[in-house]
Structure formats: structure tokens, C-alpha cells
């Protein structure tokens, strides 16, 4: 039975510091089975949660436009950021709650909040006005409902705090980049390729599904590769790949996107017959959506002078970003866990969660504002600059990103 276990699953839980009695193996066979049963349940929970998140993510922009035509890409950034803001605020509260009360209480409350938020999100089209603000509230409540998994525990000593802060920054940048990418992908493709709302949701959903498959393959391959070259080198390589992806995404050439010219209407009352009015009322919403103008909106001045991002250029960039992001994400978690060592990591993991939530707040806000006012050239150029600074930070702290056991001479690096 033991011979069939995965190598990673055979790693025991260790005690406090080298030389102490607690450094010996503490885990029994019963504890081992219980621990991995819980981990596998968490795998399934995170999988289902990610599936739901991805489905909603691709449809937010078309849904927002449909329920409230006054919403623009700037407000889209706030809507997406509200989820992580709710999560960041609620995580410490649920963590403290779990410390002093049974954990199932916090879990049940978070589930009820999530159900209520999803019901509100499903019926956002019903209110007569201010629908975009109801969406803002719904997304914030969803973030609060997703915060119950964070638990606050007592931190440990003997940890390189510089390495801890550095990994938090690296993790922040990784999630910041992907958050802004998944935020802007739908408006970008609708502007560049004159896709309708339905086409944007369908095609981008297929793209993200393909990226999910790519990520699974990468996770399997990275485990083998990390044994040969180490996690730090893989993290550096992931950042470089992401930088190349965004650099390719920069607009070049002399071809420009199709301009979306809004219809001009005067204030006079049109001569419409009663029959035409009835026919208009009976037209299906799908027909109305198909008649909406497509292309890069004339309200965005940059559409007139910014070259189009070719589809092949876009798809190449997507593949590279989809390759680099999961590597950066996984290696950040791996290095962080090793730096902290075998003691309970609740507080430190809470910081990492807060860092990721902050990234998901600022990323959508950043990209929506810069994209709306200055276009993709400025937006992606700034992203490239941020990645360069992050690579520089990684180079500075590279030698400090080592496991606690290596730092104290328990294991050779």
C-alpha cells in the first residue's frame, strides 16, 4: 500500500526546528489517511469553484452591457475588483471566527451568503435602474462568501521575513497580471475583431478552456522539471514567458480595427405605424443583440490611431501567458510553503491570500482605466514594465528563496 503512494504524499509532517524533539516525524498512519482525505476533498471543492468562476468571468462584460447600457469598461474593472475586495475584507473575520467557534458555522454562513449573492446576480435584469450597482453588490457578496477557507493560526519563528515578503510580492504580480488579462480579454476581442457579445463569450470561453487543459499539462510537467533545475529557476522562466506574451500583444503595423459608429438620432418623433411598433415589441432579444453595432467604439479615441492586434498575434500571446502564469502561481506557492517550513502556516497563508485578493482588486481597476483612456499599447507596455521590475526583484532575492530545512542545514539544497 505504502509503495503505491506518490512521493509528495509520502513526505511526513515535521516538528519545529532542527535538533528539537519535535523535529521527528509526528504523523501516524491514521493521521496520514485523514490528511489526504481532506486534501482530496479540497481539490474537488476548488475545482468546482474554479469552474463556476470561469463561467461567470467570461460573461460579466456582455451581461453588464445588457442589464445597464450606461456601464463602460472602467466600471467593469470595479465590478471584477469587488469580488476580491469582499474576499480580502472577510478573510480575517472568518479566520478569527473559525478560531473561537466551530469551523462549520463560518462555512455554513459563507455558503448562505454565496447562494444569496448568486440569486441576486441571476436576477440583476429585473430592477428598473441602477442595475450596474446591484451587480457590484452581488460580486462583493460572492467574494465574502468565498473567504471562509482562510484560517488564522499562530505564526512561527526562524523564518526569513525578506523571503516571505518577496514571495508575497511575486505572487501579487502573478495574480495581478492574470486578473487584468482575464478582465480585458472580452472587451479587447470585441474591439479588435468586431465580435458580438455572444461570439466573445463563446470564443473566449473556448480559449480559457484550452488554457485550463494547458495548465493541467504544465502542472504535471513542472513537478518533474523542478527536481532537475529547482523551483526558483522555473519561476524566473515563467515570468520571462509571460513578459514575452504581453510584448507580442503590443499593437504593430498599419491596419486599424473596425470602428463602431454609433447611430445618430435627432429629437424628432419618428413616423412609426402601430403595426411597426407591435413588430418591434415581438422581436426577440437575440435579434436585437445581432443588430447592435460591433467594433471599436468611437468613444475610445485611441481606436482611431492604434493598430489592430491580429488574431494570430493574440492567440500566440494567449498560449504564452497561459504557459507562464500557472508556472508562476504554482512555484510561488511551493517556495512560500518551503520557506515557512512544516509548522502551521495559517497567518502567513492569510497574508498570501490577502496579497492575491489585492492583486485581483487592483488588476481589473488598472487595466480597465488604462485601456479605456489610452488603449492596449499603453496598457500592455506598462504590464511589460511591471514584469521587468518583478524579474529584477526575483534576481535580488534569488539566493534567499530556499526551504527552511535547507537554511538550517537539515537537507542539502
Amino acid at each position: 500500500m505504502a509503495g503505491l503512494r506518490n512521493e509528495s504524499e509520502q513526505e511526513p509532517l515535521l516538528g519545529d526546528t532542527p535538533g528539537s524533539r519535535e523535529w521527528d516525524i509526528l504523523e501516524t498512519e491514521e493521521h496520514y489517511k485523514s490528511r489526504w482525505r481532506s486534501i482530496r476533498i479540497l481539490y474537488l471543492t476548488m475545482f468546482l469553484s474554479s469552474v463556476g468562476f470561469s463561467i461567470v468571468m467570461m460573461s460579466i462584460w456582455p451581461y453588464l452591457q445588457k442589464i445597464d447600457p450606461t456601464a463602460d469598461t472602467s466600471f467593469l474593472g470595479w465590478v471584477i475588483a469587488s469580488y476580491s475586495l469582499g474576499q480580502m475584507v472577510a478573510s480575517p473575520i472568518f479566520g478569527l471566527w473559525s478560531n473561537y467557534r466551530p469551523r462549520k458555522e463560518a462555512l455554513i454562513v459563507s455558503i448562505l451568503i454565496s447562494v444569496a449573492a448568486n440569486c441576486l446576480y441571476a436576477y440583476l435584469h429585473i430592477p428598473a435602474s441602477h442595475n450596474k450597482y446591484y451587480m457590484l453588490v452581488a460580486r462583493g457578496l460572492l467574494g465574502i462568501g468565498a473567504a471562509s477557507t482562510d484560517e488564522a493560526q499562530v505564526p512561527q519563528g526562524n523564518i526569513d521575513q525578506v523571503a516571505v515578503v518577496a514571495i508575497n510580492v511575486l505572487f501579487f504580480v502573478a495574480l495581478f497580471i492574470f486578473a487584468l488579462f482575464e478582465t480585458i480579454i472580452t472587451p479587447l476581442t470585441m474591439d479588435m475583431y468586431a465580435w458580438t457579445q455572444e461570439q466573445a463569450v463563446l470564443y473566449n470561453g473556448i480559449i480559457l478552456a484550452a488554457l485550463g487543459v494547458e495548465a493541467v499539462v504544465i502542472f504535471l510537467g513542472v513537478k518533474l522539471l523542478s527536481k532537475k533545475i529547482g523551483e526558483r529557476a522555473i519561476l524566473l522562466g515563467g515570468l520571462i514567458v509571460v513578459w514575452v506574451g504581453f510584448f507580442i500583444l503590443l499593437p504593430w503595423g498599419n491596419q486599424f480595427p473596425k470602428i463602431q459608429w454609433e447611430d445618430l438620432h435627432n429629437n424628432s418623433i419618428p413616423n412609426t405605424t402601430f403595426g411597426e411598433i407591435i413588430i418591434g415589441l415581438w422581436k426577440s432579444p437575440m435579434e436585437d443583440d445581432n443588430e447592435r453595432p460591433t467594433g471599436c467604439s468611437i468613444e475610445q479615441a485611441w481606436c482611431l490611431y492604434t493598430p489592430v492586434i491580429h488574431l494570430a498575434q493574440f492567440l500566440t500571446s494567449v498560449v504564452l501567458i497561459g504557459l507562464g502564469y500557472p508556472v508562476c502561481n504554482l512555484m510561488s506557492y511551493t517556495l512560500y510553503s518551503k520557506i515557512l517550513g512544516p509548522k502551521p502556516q495559517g497567518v502567513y497563508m492569510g497574508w498570501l491570500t490577502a496579497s492575491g485578493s489585492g492583486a485581483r482588486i487592483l488588476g481589473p481597476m488598472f487595466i480597465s482605466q488604462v485601456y479605456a483612456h489610452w488603449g492596449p499599447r499603453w496598457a500592455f507596455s506598462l504590464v511589460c514594465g511591471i514584469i521587468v521590475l518583478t524579474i529584477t526583484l526575483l534576481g535580488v532575492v534569488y539566493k534567499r528563496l530556499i526551504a527552511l530545512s535547507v537554511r538550517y542545514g537539515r537537507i542539502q539544497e
Side-chain angles (χ1 to χ4, degrees), residues 216-327:
V216 171
V217 175
I218 291 169
F219 287 149
L220 296 175
V222 162
K223 180 179 179 181
L224 299 176
L225 187 61
S226 63
K227 295 179 180 179
K228 297 182 178 180
I229 64 175
E231 291 88 357
R232 296 175 298 179
I234 295 177
L235 177 58
L236 177 60
L239 287 171
I240 293 174
V241 170
V242 172
W243 181 88
V244 173
F246 276 100
F247 183 80
I248 292 176
L249 203 54
L250 293 174
W252 305 99
N254 299 318
Q255 183 179 347
F256 298 92
K258 173 189 173 183
I259 301 299
Q260 178 188 130
W261 299 99
E262 298 290 348
D263 294 333
L264 300 178
H265 301 280
N266 55 31
N267 294 326
S268 61
I269 301 176
N271 295 323
T272 306
T273 66
F274 178 76
E276 290 173 335
I277 295 176
I278 296 299
I279 293 174
L281 291 174
W282 279 96
K283 289 179 66 177
S284 67
M286 183 65 70
E287 291 174 343
D288 292 339
D289 291 340
N290 291 335
E291 291 180 1
R292 290 181 180 178
T294 59
C296 201
S297 175
I298 191 63
E299 295 179 355
Q300 300 174 142
W302 56 265
C303 292
L304 298 174
Y305 57 81
T306 301
V308 69
I309 298 173
H310 298 283
L311 185 59
Q313 184 181 355
F314 170 73
L315 293 177
T316 303
S317 174
V318 166
V319 171
L320 292 175
I321 295 172
L323 172 64
Y325 166 72
V327 168

Side-chain angles (χ1 to χ4, degrees), residues 145-214:
S148 64
T149 56
D150 300 317
E151 298 177 9
Q153 299 177 23
V154 180
Q156 65 202 59
N158 304 313
I159 294 174
D160 187 346
Q161 299 296 335
V162 174
V164 168
V165 173
I167 290 293
N168 272 274
V169 173
L170 293 169
F171 185 71
F172 173 90
V173 173
L175 264 70
F176 177 88
I177 290 170
F178 194 75
L180 65 85
F181 177 73
E182 65 183 3
T183 299
I184 208 61
I185 185 174
T186 300
L188 177 68
T189 51
M190 292 176 68
D191 287 340
M192 291 291 126
Y193 314 122
W195 288 354
T196 64
Q197 293 178 353
E198 290 75 15
Q199 288 174 324
V201 172
L202 174 61
Y203 299 156
N204 289 322
I206 294 173
I207 289 173
L208 283 190
L211 290 184
V213 175
E214 180 185 16

